[in-house]
Amino acid sequence: MVLTTTTTAALLCLAACASTSLAAAESPAQNSTYYNPILPGFHPDPSCIFVPERDNTFFCASSSFNAFPGIPIHASKDLQSWKLIGHVLNRREQLPRLAETNSGIWAPTLRFHDENFWLVTTLVDDDRPQADFSRWDNIIFKGKDPFDQGSWSNAVHFNFTGYDTEPFWDVDGKVYITGAHAWQVAPAIQQAEVDLDTGKVTEWQTIWNGTGGMAPEGPHLFRKDGFYYLLAAEGGTGLDHRVTMSRSKNINGPFESNPANPVLTNADTTNYFQTIGHADLFQDGNGNWWGVALSTRSGPEYINYPMGRETVMTPVSWPADEWPVFSPVKGKMSGWPMPPRASSQDLGGVGPFISENDQIDFAPGTSLPPHFTHWRFPPSPSTFTVSPPATPHTLRILPSNLNLTALNGNYAGPTGQSFVGRRQQDTLFTYRINLDFSPSALEEEAGVSALLTQNHHLDMGIVMLPASASTTSFLGSKQVTTTTTATDPSALIPQVRFRGISYVAVPAPIIAPLPAGWANQTLTLEIRASNVSHYAFSIWPAAARSEAQTVIVASNAPVSWGFTGVLLGVYCTSNGHNGTTPAYVSKWRYTGDEQFRD
Ligand SMILES: *[C@@H]1O[C@H](CO)[C@@H](O)[C@H](O)[C@H]1NC(C)=O
Ligand SMILES: *[C@@H]1O[C@H](CO)[C@@H](O)[C@H](O)[C@H]1NC(C)=O
Ligand SMILES: *[C@@H]1O[C@H](CO)[C@@H](O)[C@H](O)[C@H]1NC(C)=O
Ligand SMILES: *[C@@H]1O[C@H](CO)[C@@H](O)[C@H](O)[C@H]1NC(C)=O
Ligand SMILES: *[C@@H]1O[C@H](CO)[C@@H](O)[C@H](O)[C@H]1NC(C)=O
Ligand SMILES: *[C@@H]1O[C@H](CO)[C@@H](O)[C@H](O)[C@H]1NC(C)=O
Ligand SMILES: *[C@@H]1O[C@H](CO)[C@@H](O)[C@H](O)[C@H]1NC(C)=O
């Protein structure tokens, strides 16, 4: 079954139907109905807290890998409408080496203690088979106010051969970091005492080996009823992913495994929500417990999941002295009563609500929207200019020498790539931009991409190539007749190019000359999820929709892989050549059309 949420209805609801949705809140005994994922799209490894001291607000952090700004924070007053309020990693100086690592930011843990927010995470180089653990960098950020992202500190580094690190404050005043020791070396949950302001750690001790699943990781400690409860993930982040738990009267262990493990998993089920694991727990204002976890909407086939690992939420019952019981994760959930529906005015913060569409016209005096995401740092402060004086209402992009693939092995080097995108957050969507681009030098290119990683992306752009490079004289169904298709096969002409790169099979490149009359026109480029498994790449002159051509309908399997989720965006590159022609992007639109939940 397919459930439809029209995002516009959700938005209208925020503003207008607060009163009707208060029904549930009026009788506090009434359980809530809500839908997973709560943070659709590339939002893995959630870590969430409830902070009564900050106006009863829920905050969630998620992993961002090479995305910059990184480590998004979403906030909510009602557990239903989530708003991007900023990013922990929002300035290059906080962590310059994000420019160089191949995997970027893994699993953060967000905590509030003693008037401060703390975010502990790992910057990772995990290239195989010889991962160099001396390059894994465990780091601490401290911030006073997540609504003011400038309040996050620069990274404080600490020494640990592992990842998934989290801070824990014990009742006796001691402070600990718990983390997952590198599973390639000696998989285990380890712990040390830490000075969070300096990063000084004591010797690491193994406190739990898990229940025998691959890669015990994602540890979170909770103190309750005289026990230390240790939550962990096992089985790897794929179809075997599961949440396990142990407890001890002593923070150093020994930790006794829960006989009911795993406490949460969809492994060996046919559920559409798979790979559930890497959970965190928090208690709402009524004292009810909730779990968040990552999940992949793929079904057990696990072939088409371009949105990657998303954030889901599930109610948890946790009676005194007993182990917590998680509800199984599905698309439609029933859970504890929720706080009254908050109106949008109740939250500060800069970003959009999670279900908002994009209608962005790059107006003069504005800047890039907060949910726009680069791949690592942009090459220079001038790479992206909103509304340059000569071309208002456009985004000017200067080309990077590197294209989206850049250097081998998912490294880019410090020079960076000219890309900006936003997350695919709906099963079916339409993403569309207008492009003004008049290339003149060989391999100058600008276009749209569904980008998962440097080694997994599907691109459609305008590129300057010799006439002889064409693979077809048709663009979609349209016979291409250009004035320039010359007699001279070496003459450079603007061509439409679709190409992809992935570890799984991608369609052969399509290169077709721009049809007569399209050169130097404003063109519309579109990526549309035409169904759950395919993207349609289309192009037409902005002034002549009737000329629209679908260049290819391509499977999204090549961008369904690994740890991240698809970013839909624009790029401009000289493909390693000397081109300098900028691209001008306007009328940026993203519309969520449908959300599949089972
Ligand atoms: C980090 O810890 C490892 C193993 O405990 C040790 O060999 C190394 O010298 C430490 N590095 C620093 C910079 O303290
Ligand atoms: C974890 O496993 C290692 C290796 O088998 C063992 O030496 C160690 O005692 C175990 N630690 C705990 C806390 O169970
Ligand atoms: C309400 O939700 C909680 C958490 O899932 C569950 O334990 C409880 O049984 C539910 N109550 C009712 C009346 O359905
Ligand atoms: C498009 O513009 C470029 C540079 O502005 C120019 O060299 C080229 O001749 C133009 N092409 C057409 C077909 O008008
Ligand atoms: C999705 O679209 C593709 C291309 O048109 C088609 O081959 C495929 O069968 C469709 N899948 C579904 C589930 O409709
Ligand atoms: C990227 O650019 C390099 C040159 O820097 C080129 O060899 C490669 O073919 C390009 N490929 C893709 C898929 O972007
Ligand atoms: C870039 O320009 C220089 C100088 O004109 C030339 O020697 C070089 O071959 C060009 N490089 C590429 C990759 O086009």
Side-chain angles (χ1 to χ4, degrees):
M1 195 179 84
V2 173
L3 295 170
T4 309
T5 46
T6 71
T7 39
T8 10
L11 281 177
L12 286 174
C13 199
L14 284 173
C17 65
S19 52
T20 54
S21 55
L22 278 173
E26 275 156 11
S27 55
Q30 196 177 321
N31 270 8
S32 58
T33 297
Y34 67 94
Y35 294 91
N36 276 322
I38 60 163
L39 301 181
F42 171 29
H43 296 105
D45 308 317
S47 176
C48 303
I49 53 177
F50 175 62
V51 186
E53 297 91 330
R54 294 297 162 93
D55 207 12
N56 292 310
T57 306
F58 300 90
F59 297 91
C60 287
S62 45
S63 294
S64 51
F65 293 80
N66 288 314
F68 179 81
I71 319 173
I73 302 286
H74 288 85
S76 178
K77 286 283 189 70
D78 58 14
L79 287 175
Q80 297 161 79
S81 47
W82 291 92
K83 190 176 192 217
L84 177 70
I85 59 156
H87 292 85
V88 175
L89 182 49
N90 56 77
R91 309 180 300 280
R92 188 177 185 130
E93 81 214 31
Q94 288 176 288
L95 191 62
R97 215 165 62 80
L98 180 68
E100 290 161 37
T101 59
N102 78 327
S103 204
I105 293 287
W106 283 18
T109 298
L110 177 65
R111 293 291 183 257
F112 179 80
H113 180 80
D114 203 11
E115 291 303 308
N116 284 299
F117 289 81
W118 297 88
L119 192 295
V120 178
T121 186
T122 316
L123 181 69
V124 173
D125 274 284
D126 72 331
D127 42 345
R128 311 275 165 76
Q130 289 296 325
D132 176 1
F133 295 106
S134 69
R135 288 176 58 83
W136 293 41
D137 188 9
N138 277 284
I139 48 183
I140 302 161
F141 297 99
K142 177 184 185 177
K144 276 275 175 223
D145 178 10
F147 287 98
D148 168 15
Q149 64 177 12
S151 77
W152 287 104
S153 68
N154 291 350
V156 169
H157 307 261
F158 64 97
N159 187 7
F160 177 48
T161 309
Y163 59 102
D164 288 6
T165 40
E166 79 148 358
F168 180 80
W169 294 263
D170 204 357
V171 282
D172 62 3
K174 288 187 178 172
V175 187
Y176 296 85
I177 295 262
T178 311
H181 193 262
W183 62 268
Q184 301 90 329
V185 179
I189 305 299
Q190 293 200 325
Q191 187 176 73
E193 279 184 62
V194 66
D195 179 334
L196 289 172
D197 288 310
T198 63
K200 191 169 181 302
V201 286
T202 59
E203 199 180 323
W204 291 90
Q205 307 290 343
T206 294
I207 58 167
W208 196 42
N209 283 327
T211 66
M214 182 186 122
E217 59 190 11
H220 291 307
L221 270 178
F222 304 90
R223 192 177 153 85
K224 186 174 185 291
D225 313 320
F227 284 101
Y228 296 89
Y229 283 87
L230 176 58
L231 190 68
E234 296 185 46
T237 199
L239 292 177
D240 265 347
H241 210 198
R242 56 199 60 210
V243 182
T244 58
M245 211 158 191
S246 61
R247 69 181 182 185
S248 174
K249 291 274 186 191
N250 191 321
I251 191 158
N252 315 116
F255 279 83
E256 163 213 357
S257 184
N258 179 356
N261 278 331
V263 290
L264 182 67
T265 186
N266 274 358
D268 306 318
T269 70
T270 57
N271 204 297
Y272 192 47
F273 286 75
Q274 291 286 324
T275 76
I276 292 170
H278 203 107
D280 197 3
L281 284 163
F282 61 92
Q283 215 170 0
D284 68 19
N286 297 322
N288 291 319
W289 287 89
W290 296 90
V292 283
L294 72 80
S295 173
T296 311
R297 278 183 283 170
S298 64
E301 302 81 13
Y302 205 41
I303 294 168
N304 299 104
Y305 51 95
M307 288 181 283
R309 304 176 307 152
E310 311 174 281
T311 293
V312 295
M313 185 170 81
T314 188
V316 174
S317 301
W318 200 349
D321 302 321
E322 293 178 27
W323 297 96
V325 176
F326 291 67
S327 299
V329 169
K330 298 175 295 192
K332 183 178 182 182
M333 299 291 297
S334 166
W336 302 113
M338 286 186 170
R341 188 91 177 166
S343 72
S344 51
Q345 292 86 335
D346 287 347
L347 270 178
V350 288
F353 281 91
I354 194 76
S355 57
E356 256 175 82
N357 292 328
D358 287 346
Q359 183 159 346
I360 292 157
D361 290 321
F362 306 108
T366 64
S367 44
L368 285 179
H371 64 297
F372 272 35
T373 296
H374 304 289
W375 198 245
R376 304 196 185 83
F377 306 114
S380 92
S382 58
T383 302
F384 294 93
T385 306
V386 174
S387 257
T391 52
H393 295 280
T394 69
L395 172 66
R396 185 186 66 203
I397 311 177
L398 304 184
S400 51
N401 187 266
L402 296 172
N403 56 29
L404 294 177
T405 307
L407 304 179
N408 202 17
N410 220 28
Y411 287 90
T415 58
Q417 294 148 289
S418 298
F419 170 83
V420 70
R422 58 104 71 215
R423 287 161 171 79
Q424 177 185 344
Q425 293 181 236
D426 300 83
T427 314
L428 303 186
F429 69 86
T430 307
Y431 169 69
R432 185 184 293 165
I433 56 120
N434 281 357
L435 178 67
D436 283 281
F437 183 56
S438 298
S440 57
L442 179 66
E443 286 277 7
E444 285 189 319
E445 178 176 3
V448 291
S449 180
L451 174 81
L452 184 77
T453 76
Q454 284 166 227
N455 296 323
H456 304 80
H457 51 97
L458 302 170
D459 318 326
M460 178 182 67
I462 308 301
V463 56
M464 201 66 168
L465 288 175
S468 59
S470 306
T471 61
T472 174
S473 56
F474 279 84
L475 188 62
S477 59
K478 187 183 173 80
Q479 171 89 55
V480 175
T481 48
T482 68
T483 45
T484 38
T485 18
T487 45
D488 177 5
S490 68
L492 293 180
I493 56 168
Q495 311 220 37
V496 176
R497 174 163 67 187
F498 168 88
R499 67 176 174 179
I501 175 167
S502 177
Y503 299 163
V504 309
V506 289
I510 297 169
I511 302 172
L514 267 192
W518 288 27
N520 296 345
Q521 299 296 304
T522 304
L523 299 176
T524 300
L525 279 66
E526 180 186 271
I527 306 175
R528 191 169 68 89
S530 48
N531 66 22
V532 68
S533 60
H534 282 70
Y535 294 140
F537 289 81
S538 305
I539 184 167
W540 62 89
R545 177 94 199 248
S546 60
E547 292 185 33
Q549 296 297 312
T550 294
V551 175
I552 189 171
V553 181
S555 170
N556 61 25
V559 288
S560 300
W561 180 87
F563 298 150
T564 55
V566 159
L567 301 170
L568 300 161
V570 291
Y571 64 92
C572 182
T573 178
S574 62
N575 278 305
H577 291 258
N578 286 335
T580 57
T581 305
Y584 296 86
V585 171
S586 55
K587 291 199 191 303
W588 170 296
R589 303 287 182 268
Y590 171 90
T591 310
D593 297 325
E594 225 168 285
Q595 206 64 282
F596 286 22
R597 303 187 203 271
D598 52 33

